[in-house]
Amino acid sequence: MVRRVLSLTSGRIAVAVLAVIALLALFGPLLAPQDPLATSESTLAPVSGAHWLGTDYLGRDVLSRLLDGSRVSVLGALEVALTALVVGAVPGILSVYLGRAFEWFTLRLADTLVALPFLLFAVAVIALLGNGLTQAMLVTGVLVSPLFYRVARAAGLSVARSPYVEAALISGASVGWIVRRHVWAKVLPPLAVALAQTIGVGFVIVSSLTFLGIGVQPPAPTWGGLLASDLGYLSHRPWAPLAPAVLIMATVWASNLLADAVRDVSGEAGRALVDRRKARAHRPGPAGPAPLGGAS
């Protein structure tokens, strides 16, 4: 699947953008030219050689804070996506095989989680457990998990009715063996699409919470927090919100683009793509020019 995704132009663009974001998360704090928490007297300074993106209202270097805050933003989005994947996909697959009682309970639980507004619920949990991004992202991941539950359940139902799975059940194979041997390969492509989309949703959630000052204790920098602080000084630095906004938009756009690319190369569409490439590879080339003169 990876080769198929990279064979598409949209897939290569998405992977390149997300790779840059991942490098920022890994090495951004190390590349920060100054201490992101250090204040100075040069408040709201314009772009210069010493401050490539200027300074904020406390004289802190904006570029350093942007690079340092990338790790928190990326880890928060991944935490949402991975929590939703584990909490949603595992019960979704097992609901097909563990009987009607388990199926009814998980369906009702998924319907309940869908009805809860995740942003307000995350704020309530933070109020109970304390201001921290980890618990906020875990709770948000649980609230997003019904997407993976429904995707995994739908894919599992399509495989459960196949003759080879029924034959395996009759022969005495365990549910774990059937899931590993037959179900997982069919469920993985739609789960990959949902995971890529949820990473983009996770960035929006992290940015929204940190924009409101929830989940991260100040003065720790985040992309959403930088965007919120810059909006208060638009009269002095009208271009200031551009950098964090572009990073957030590019990450969400690349995640959705990657989800579209994975969808295009999986399932029937993916097999059709492979068949077209094989047909082009075996197509005979144009005939060469006829030899000059007749046969001797």
Side-chain angles (χ1 to χ4, degrees), residues 86 88-100 102-103 106 149 152-153 156 175-176 179 183 187:
V86 174
V90 175
I93 296 174
L94 294 180
S95 67
V96 181
Y97 301 98
L98 295 186
R100 299 299 298 270
F102 183 82
E103 178 185 17
T106 53
Y149 175 84
R153 175 175 166 76
V175 174
V179 171
V183 179
V187 175

Side-chain angles (χ1 to χ4, degrees), residues 71-97:
R71 179 172 297 178
V72 175
S73 302
V74 171
L75 289 179
L78 291 178
E79 191 174 349
V80 171
L82 295 178
T83 302
L85 174 64
V86 174
V87 174
V90 175
I93 296 174
L94 294 180
S95 67
V96 181
Y97 301 98

Side-chain angles (χ1 to χ4, degrees), residues 36 43 47 59 67 81 115 158 217 222 230 278 286-287 290:
T43 59
V47 176
L67 292 174
S158 64
Q217 294 285 353
T222 58
D230 290 334
K278 289 182 179 179

